[in-house]
Amino acid sequence: PQPPAPYAEHLIPSKRFPPVFSPSAYRKGEGEPLALSQALEAETLPEYPRALGTLVHYALARNLDPGDEGAMRALLLQEVAFPFPEEEQKRLLAEVRLLLWNHRRMLGEVLPALENREEDHAELPLVLPLAGTVWYGVLDRLYRVGDRWYLEDYKTDQRMAPEHYRLQLALYWEAVRRAWGVEAEARLVYLRHERVHAFSPEELQEALRELEKAPGILSQGLEPDLL
């Protein structure tokens, strides 16, 4: 056998976060980091709420009409719907349609109408180096009306609990601020309740400060990006 390399006994010290992490995985861990493999596996389980959220987000990103029977039936061709029996798929599709109609009613009322948006970006990937890891995620919607920018995250939750998503929105808000130089209004769009919860810049900044106070080595030499 060959002699061991001189660095074979060296250990890489563990850090608070894995090298790449997602805000949703952090929240599922109730503030504690999960191994990246566990986080990714948890986010791909074919559970009903996961399937519902995936299909709703897919439809909203493409502005699908809930009254278009062909477009709605085509949603069930998504892989996330395959594990469910036919009756469960019907229930899933009915709920997706309901949430899409709710969103339609919000447009022009609590949400700016689509035709009034001068820039409109759906499902915008991002990476943000911060607090010893690189956060990755997808912005549901980032758009501009006049001089005002909006950053929105759609929620299908049964219960409204904005505090659970404050850090997620703070990370997305900070990525947009650094990469594009704009300070968007970050808000949760609760489709089931037809309500919007907006976070103030002070709330978002406080969430980032709390995250950075935790033990860990800050990333250096990296810039945020909207892909």
Side-chain angles (χ1 to χ4, degrees):
Q2 296 294 317
Y7 52 79
E9 299 300 322
H10 293 181
L11 297 179
I12 300 175
S14 61
K15 297 183 180 180
R16 181 165 183 252
F17 298 114
V20 180
F21 207 36
S22 76
S24 58
Y26 181 84
R27 187 181 65 82
K28 287 174 184 174
E30 296 182 347
E32 294 298 327
L34 301 175
L36 182 60
S37 59
Q38 294 177 346
L40 294 177
E41 181 181 3
E43 292 191 359
T44 56
L45 291 176
E47 300 171 347
Y48 187 94
R50 173 72 178 168
L52 176 65
T54 298
L55 296 181
V56 168
H57 282 74
Y58 178 90
L60 289 174
R62 291 154 184 81
N63 299 322
L64 297 186
D65 182 356
D68 185 334
E69 293 296 332
M72 292 298 99
R73 287 195 302 271
L75 288 176
L76 296 179
L77 300 177
Q78 298 285 331
E79 184 179 0
V80 72
F82 290 173
F84 301 98
E86 183 177 354
E87 287 305 312
E88 194 80 349
Q89 287 186 354
K90 290 180 180 178
R91 183 168 75 90
L92 180 64
L93 190 57
E95 195 164 0
V96 169
R97 195 192 303 268
L98 171 66
L99 295 176
L100 294 181
W101 279 123
N102 288 356
H103 179 259
R104 286 283 173 118
R105 282 193 295 272
M106 297 173 76
L107 292 174
E109 298 293 334
V110 293
L111 300 177
L114 296 178
E115 58 270 19
N116 293 337
R117 304 178 185 187
E118 296 165 71
E119 291 187 56
D120 195 355
H121 309 275
E123 295 190 339
L124 192 63
L126 67 91
V127 291
L128 172 68
L130 184 71
T133 189
V134 176
W135 301 89
Y136 73 93
V138 178
L139 300 179
D140 288 347
R141 207 83 177 207
L142 178 65
Y143 59 89
R144 179 173 63 86
V145 179
D147 295 328
R148 192 170 181 180
W149 284 89
Y150 297 90
L151 187 167
E152 292 178 348
D153 197 77
Y154 302 122
K155 298 302 179 188
T156 60
D157 300 10
Q158 296 281 352
R159 185 173 66 91
M160 293 180 60
E163 64 277 8
H164 291 170
Y165 301 105
R166 186 182 63 141
L167 177 59
Q168 178 188 359
L169 270 289
L171 291 166
Y172 290 177
W173 176 82
E174 180 67 4
V176 172
R177 189 187 69 81
R178 291 193 194 181
W180 284 11
V182 299
E183 190 171 298
E185 180 177 319
R187 45 201 215 166
L188 299 170
V189 179
Y190 283 96
L191 299 169
R192 199 175 298 277
H193 306 272
E194 298 185 42
R195 293 180 62 184
V196 172
H197 178 88
F199 291 99
S200 69
E202 292 75 21
E203 289 179 290
L204 301 173
Q205 290 164 355
E206 179 60 26
L208 296 175
R209 283 195 295 268
E210 291 173 0
L211 179 67
E212 292 192 272
K213 286 178 184 176
I217 301 174
L218 295 181
S219 302
Q220 297 180 358
L222 297 174
E223 294 295 332
D225 194 14
L226 297 178
L227 305 179

